[in-house]
Amino acid sequence: MTVIGTGYLGATHAVCMAVLGFEVLGVDVDPAKVELLASGRVPFYEPGLPEKLQDALASGRLRFTTSFDEAAAFGDVHFVCVGTPQQPGSHAADLRYVDAAFTELARRIDRKTLLIGKSTVPVGTAARLAQLVRSVSPLGDELELAWNPEFLREGFAVEDTLHPDRLVFGVDSEWAERQLRVAFRPLLDEGTPLVVADTATAELVKVAANSFLATKISYINAMAEVCEATGADVNLLATALAYDDRIGGRFLKPGLGFGGGCLPKDIRAFRARAEELGVGQAVRFLDEVDQINQRRRSRTVDLVRELAGGSLQGARIAALGAAFKPNSDDVRDAPALDVARMLYLEGARVVVYDPEANANAHRVYPDLDYVGTLAEAVMDADVVVLLTEWDEFRRADPRDLGALVSGRRIVDGRHALDASRYRAAGWEYRALGRPAEAATAQLVENDKDSVAHA
Ligand code: UDX
């Protein structure tokens, strides 16, 4: 099989398929990326993936190339995993890379093979692409296309690919379904649930899932706004809600909200596509979901300003975290970096430390100061703000940090710290949706683990 596009999704898919025993050719238009991967290095931070890449290369079953000619000659099935970012100046998805990958491949295909899209696309894309590829391929109408959405989470990419919670095949024929069953036999043999659907449904599964997750996060963050107006505590509220199995605690963690390369752009692209289809009203609530999420960022800035004494001008702020979530170096639409930028624009001197994402963050916002350790970040800080809940920050001892800062003031943007420990060590502790002096001790023991670690 071939895997076209070796970014997050594609590199992980290519490596995992080789680990599962298939002969895999990874294809990318970027020679630098191909060279890195071929030499056993992963161009992004993903726990466990470098080891698996090296195993796969050593097995001789995984190679990389920039050549579409080679890809077309090699593959019986082709997985297209290229990116679908948000279009500049619009909410819609930018499909130019998807279109290019399918066209380049199809042009060279002269024997019966299956083209499989894995990228997240607006519903209806597979049907359009099926026509496109048939019009350019020497194989003509015999060329088939299927859609197989991917649900992997950054930070758990290998685990999610090797042991997914479900597989979805969007197919137009039994032949296509058979090809996909062969390609995923090891996972199907393990009992992974499979949903076989038409291509439109398969495309929708992905955006519907991400929209639901985004909505769940914004729901609890909307409750945080109400808590702020009433003196209630959103952490206790979320814990109590999570005991209801129908609600569940996962993705119900309040705080700074969602970011990354998927959730924000997917809900916007879904809105844009629904408008095109004349059903914009059905998912208009996603605008609210987006806005609630954005408001968490400005509200975090408000809290930091408040702790800084009403103005950020000249304040030294330690920003802990830049990645959109822990165990990732991805800063795409990262709430953490957005908050750091807003603090800087209000005149603060922002010192950023992220265990993995400093380099990526520096590329996007070179004006902020970046340091290589937690201690350097908090040194002489007027206010510390936790923006990404890395374990290193959770584990830090408030007394040790307290000895370094200029004032013991902390905003916990991720509800990741033990408020009572910080308060006991003399810190003024604030978190979104929690009262300034909270009755946090009331958090029941045995609280659902899933809430805390959603
Ligand atoms: C997401 C989907 O989970 C995955 O299935 C899909 O394939 C790609 O998009 P990912 O972008 O890796 O995965 O991140 P995810 O773990 O879903 O987190 C998204 C954002 O939501 C992060 O910024 C995280 O900090 C935030 N989040 C998550 C919350 O704010 N609260 C929560 O309770 C959970």
Side-chain angles (χ1 to χ4, degrees):
M1 54 185 64
T2 76
V3 177
I4 318 289
T6 57
Y8 233 106
L9 165 58
T12 310
H13 187 63
V15 167
C16 289
M17 284 309 209
V19 166
L20 289 174
F22 295 97
E23 297 285 331
V24 182
L25 182 62
V27 187
D28 205 288
V29 291
D30 179 352
K33 213 183 265 180
V34 163
E35 199 179 314
L36 265 182
L37 287 163
S39 69
R41 284 169 297 165
V42 178
F44 46 85
Y45 178 78
E46 182 61 42
L49 190 57
E51 295 81 354
K52 287 271 185 279
L53 169 65
Q54 281 142 28
D55 290 351
L57 290 170
S59 74
R61 289 193 299 271
L62 177 63
R63 290 184 300 116
F64 293 93
T65 181
T66 54
S67 162
F68 273 88
D69 285 339
E70 201 181 334
F74 182 83
D76 297 320
V77 292
H78 302 275
F79 286 97
V80 174
C81 298
V82 297
T84 51
Q86 189 174 330
Q87 269 178 33
S90 149
H91 276 179
D94 186 346
L95 296 175
R96 82 177 89 165
Y97 308 108
V98 171
D99 286 8
F102 275 100
T103 309
E104 286 307 308
L105 197 59
R107 234 182 230 149
R108 296 167 167 86
I109 287 184
D110 52 11
R111 68 190 161 93
K112 184 91 179 157
T113 50
L114 182 64
L115 306 187
I116 304 163
K118 277 185 97 61
S119 310
T120 303
V121 291
V123 57
T125 302
R128 178 179 63 79
L129 287 172
Q131 291 194 340
L132 176 72
V133 295
R134 284 173 189 146
S135 71
V136 299
S137 169
L139 203 64
D141 283 350
E142 269 190 71
L143 187 55
E144 286 202 44
L145 190 141
W147 218 264
N148 164 232
E150 177 59 56
F151 306 101
L152 67 80
R153 297 161 299 166
E154 295 186 15
F156 301 91
V158 173
E159 171 71 14
D160 285 352
T161 307
L162 290 177
H163 306 287
D165 45 20
R166 80 287 214 188
L167 288 167
V168 177
F169 298 167
V171 290
D172 289 331
S173 74
E174 282 181 13
W175 177 83
E177 182 184 333
R178 277 200 303 279
Q179 306 311 301
L180 276 157
R181 281 184 181 275
V182 172
F184 286 101
R185 180 163 297 148
L187 305 185
L188 293 171
D189 286 349
E190 257 192 8
T192 308
L194 167 66
V195 178
V196 180
D198 54 282
T199 55
T201 304
E203 291 166 323
L204 265 178
V205 174
K206 176 61 189 265
V207 279
N210 275 354
S211 297
F212 187 85
L213 294 173
T215 303
K216 205 171 170 194
I217 298 168
S218 277
Y219 177 81
I220 198 62
N221 283 334
M223 294 304 107
E225 288 189 20
V226 177
C227 286
E228 278 160 28
T230 59
D233 185 327
V234 72
N235 238 8
L236 296 174
L237 178 69
T239 305
L241 290 179
Y243 281 109
D244 186 330
D245 284 339
R246 295 169 302 175
I247 298 174
R250 299 186 71 192
F251 278 69
L252 201 66
K253 179 135 174 56
L256 189 45
F258 59 83
C262 291
L263 261 45
K265 76 150 171 82
D266 286 355
I267 61 170
R268 291 173 198 148
F270 194 16
R271 276 283 292 126
R273 182 61 181 144
E275 286 292 344
E276 281 171 14
L277 291 167
V279 286
Q281 224 175 355
V283 290
R284 206 155 289 160
F285 68 92
L286 291 175
D287 283 342
E288 286 297 332
V289 167
D290 204 357
Q291 278 164 33
I292 293 164
N293 195 50
Q294 295 297 328
R295 281 203 296 275
R296 293 292 79 190
R297 302 180 184 188
S298 45
R299 181 70 190 124
T300 301
V301 174
D302 292 345
L303 274 188
V304 178
R305 190 190 309 106
E306 214 178 300
L307 284 196
S311 165
L312 287 163
Q313 199 65 46
R316 194 182 188 291
I317 310 294
L320 306 188
F324 83 105
K325 67 173 188 180
N327 298 316
S328 167
D329 65 356
D330 194 341
V331 298
R332 285 177 293 171
D333 208 335
L337 206 48
D338 210 14
V339 168
R341 179 190 62 90
M342 289 193 268
L343 294 167
Y344 171 79
L345 290 178
E346 280 196 40
R349 177 163 174 241
V350 184
V351 184
V352 181
Y353 165 62
D354 188 289
E356 293 294 337
N358 269 11
N360 284 344
H362 185 267
R363 262 191 291 280
V364 188
Y365 293 122
D367 288 342
L368 307 176
D369 285 338
Y370 295 90
V371 292
T373 63
L374 173 56
E376 286 170 89
V378 300
M379 188 69 74
D380 298 329
D382 297 309
V383 182
V384 176
V385 55
L386 183 136
L387 300 168
T388 313
E389 67 276 34
W390 285 94
D391 267 347
E392 181 180 354
F393 305 150
R394 288 176 181 275
R395 283 197 313 262
D397 188 325
R399 285 167 306 185
D400 295 346
L401 296 185
L404 301 172
V405 295
S406 127
R408 296 184 178 196
R409 289 175 282 264
I410 188 159
V411 173
D412 180 0
R414 291 293 182 179
H415 294 237
L417 306 173
D418 183 340
S420 44
R421 268 183 80 211
Y422 272 82
R423 288 189 173 126
W427 287 76
E428 192 175 347
Y429 169 96
R430 299 294 299 277
L432 300 164
R434 298 175 83 176
E437 287 301 327
T440 42
Q442 289 168 11
L443 251 180
V444 280
E445 272 173 35
N446 302 328
D447 73 336
K448 281 207 156 172
D449 207 35
S450 51
V451 176
H453 302 293

